[in-house]
Amino acid sequence: MSFDSLGLSAELLRAVSDQGYDEPTPVQKQAIPVILEGRDILAGAQTGTGKTAGFTLPLLQRLTESSAAPGGAGRKPVRALVLTPTRELAAQVGESVETYGKYLSLNSTVIFGGVNINPQMNRLRRGVDIVVATPGRLLDHVGQGSLDLSSVEILVLDEADRMLDMGFIHDIRKVLKLLPNRRQNLLFSATFSAEIKTLADKLLDSPTLIEVAHRNTASELVAQVVHPVDRVRKRELLSSLINNEGWQQILIFTRTKHGANRLAQQLVQDGISAAAIHGNKSQAARTRALAEFKQNKVRALVATDIAARGLDIDQLPHVVNFELPNVPEDYVHRIGRTGRAGNEGEAISLVCVDESSFLRDIERLIRKEIPKVVVEGFEPDPSIKPEPVFKPRGGAGHRNQGPGGRAGGNRNQGPGGRDGRGGPNRNSSGARGAGRPGQRSSRGR
Ligand code: AMP
């Protein structure tokens, strides 16, 4: 099937062809015709499935097919709003809107926190058709009178599950109240939790359900392994694996910003070029770290879940969980960075005695037992007792996120408050701790 049969205009097909795409991806095949009909959709699609073009292309077309209702105060009205959980994702979606809309005369802008609000205000005052935004800063603009959402015809919630995880539900509700009742709604989510279903029921009008197979699932393309190790020896094991196995381009996850910073510094001390990327870093620092990583100038990128979400980095050979996430779905998102598009990938988790319940929840979620391999010389000391790992403050309701954080607010990473604690031959010790098939985590989110 080619793009030509989807009903897209010549200008959009030209932009698609400029990108070198031959064929629509499964989510594009399903979503584009339905969106062009003006229907609401509920789409289960992860990053990497081509979902952004899946909603951007038909959105652009629908805006060109009709003209805007007259806006107030002579300003051109905002006709489409795309909400994203993070700055990075907002920037990427904004780029896609520009890329696919390059032969059209629609204007767009990207709005997120952590940067000066004034240039965004000036841009909005000049009038834009499409706004791509994180929720907090979007509401700041509404509060300051620089943005009017009363003419929005199409609303997209991208990575809605992550927005809820990050505590944006109250902001989303506020935004919904500012929109006209008659509009088209497109909801994209990698997972369908009870909260997402509640949101979808409230938001969507007879939606078409679109579900595409993930380009990779935890159990398929990615080789997963757990290395049991003592809490205090994780970093030593990590450096040893990186050097002895000759790994290049490693994405490493920690639970906290502090943990990410510390680990990056320690890796550098061990002679491994590394950078940390998280919500407390300026946008410029994050962009720079990512660019250096992509160019192989930095070998290890140490990230928190929220900072990594939405980053255009995938097909990595190695993803390392220096600490397991306390939210099992985050494990799936993390390891989805490797093994994309049929490439072999490896997800390595360094797990200490404190994290057994996290591991159990993950294995239940992925319905698979992850092989446990003790690395010679790093055998865990059985006399070490588990220590509690702090729970994140406030969980889903906590509104202290970096990406999309309000101007002037505390831009701490969302699940903050957790205390990051932070040539070997591999020697299989057999697997333990089987997950119960069919049982999902009961951790309420
Ligand atoms: P997304 O899931 O929207 O983050 O897209 C993942 C990647 O797939 C992006 O780098 C897109 O440029 C690329 N992409 C989107 N649609 C296609 C297509 N039809 N063919 C090839 N690549 C695509």
Side-chain angles (χ1 to χ4, degrees), residues 3 16 19-25 28 46-54 89 92 96 100 215 312 314:
F3 272 98
V16 164
Q19 288 306 106
Y21 305 161
D22 302 324
E23 236 199 295
T25 64
Q28 292 164 0
Q46 282 187 322
T47 302
T49 53
K51 66 180 167 70
T52 315
L89 189 59
Q92 280 171 31
S96 294
Y100 303 128
R215 243 160 88 173
D312 186 19
D314 55 17

Side-chain angles (χ1 to χ4, degrees), residues 255 326-327 357-358 361 388-395 414-419 443:
R255 279 191 293 262
N326 54 313
V327 173
S357 68
F358 298 160
D361 284 351
V389 179
F390 293 124
K391 294 275 172 222
R393 279 172 295 160
R418 184 179 284 278
D419 181 21
R443 209 172 281 269

Side-chain angles (χ1 to χ4, degrees), residues 1-235:
M1 189 196 207
S2 78
F3 272 98
D4 300 7
S5 54
L6 293 175
L8 294 169
S9 68
E11 291 83 2
L12 290 168
L13 290 175
R14 207 167 133 208
V16 164
S17 154
D18 288 354
Q19 288 306 106
Y21 305 161
D22 302 324
E23 236 199 295
T25 64
V27 70
Q28 292 164 0
K29 277 182 206 158
Q30 293 181 54
I32 291 174
V34 179
I35 299 173
L36 287 177
E37 280 174 26
R39 303 200 49 172
D40 284 7
I41 66 163
L42 173 59
Q46 282 187 322
T47 302
T49 53
K51 66 180 167 70
T52 315
F55 65 75
T56 305
L57 289 165
L59 178 149
L60 289 166
Q61 174 137 339
R62 283 189 55 75
L63 297 186
T64 52
E65 278 171 349
S66 65
S67 47
R75 196 194 296 164
K76 186 170 166 176
V78 174
R79 300 180 61 200
L81 172 65
V82 184
L83 285 182
T84 72
T86 63
R87 302 167 190 175
E88 284 82 4
L89 189 59
Q92 280 171 31
V93 172
E95 265 173 39
S96 294
V97 171
E98 298 274 323
T99 303
Y100 303 128
K102 65 181 180 183
Y103 300 117
L104 305 174
S105 52
L106 296 165
N107 300 320
S108 63
T109 195
V110 179
I111 282 176
F112 49 69
V115 292
N116 189 338
I117 198 166
N118 294 327
Q120 295 177 352
M121 285 183 152
N122 292 336
R123 181 73 190 91
L124 288 171
R125 292 210 165 101
R126 290 203 304 276
V128 287
D129 300 289
I130 303 156
V131 170
V132 183
T134 52
R137 179 56 72 88
L138 183 86
L139 287 168
D140 289 341
H141 278 285
V142 174
Q144 300 206 25
S146 46
L147 182 61
D148 173 5
L149 297 174
S150 64
S151 301
V152 167
E153 298 161 42
I154 307 175
L155 169 72
V156 183
L157 295 187
D158 194 10
E159 303 201 356
D161 50 346
R162 182 53 86 158
M163 279 198 263
L164 298 190
D165 289 350
M166 291 171 64
F168 283 137
I169 187 65
H170 303 294
D171 285 350
I172 291 171
R173 286 208 191 102
K174 281 185 204 156
V175 172
L176 293 180
K177 287 197 187 124
L178 300 166
L179 304 176
N181 288 334
R182 249 185 69 124
R183 57 172 200 267
Q184 185 177 11
N185 302 291
L186 315 175
L187 193 155
F188 286 78
S189 183
T191 52
F192 289 131
S193 62
E195 282 167 298
I196 286 288
K197 290 199 183 101
T198 308
L199 179 67
D201 285 346
K202 187 173 166 341
L203 186 72
L204 306 174
D205 178 18
S206 318
T208 302
L209 183 66
I210 292 171
E211 245 184 314
V212 292
H214 296 157
R215 243 160 88 173
N216 99 41
T217 59
S219 51
E220 289 160 15
L221 288 165
V222 183
Q224 300 166 69
V225 66
V226 161
H227 292 315
V229 60
D230 290 337
R231 188 188 306 128
V232 294
R233 299 198 65 202
K234 280 190 176 187
R235 171 275 189 116

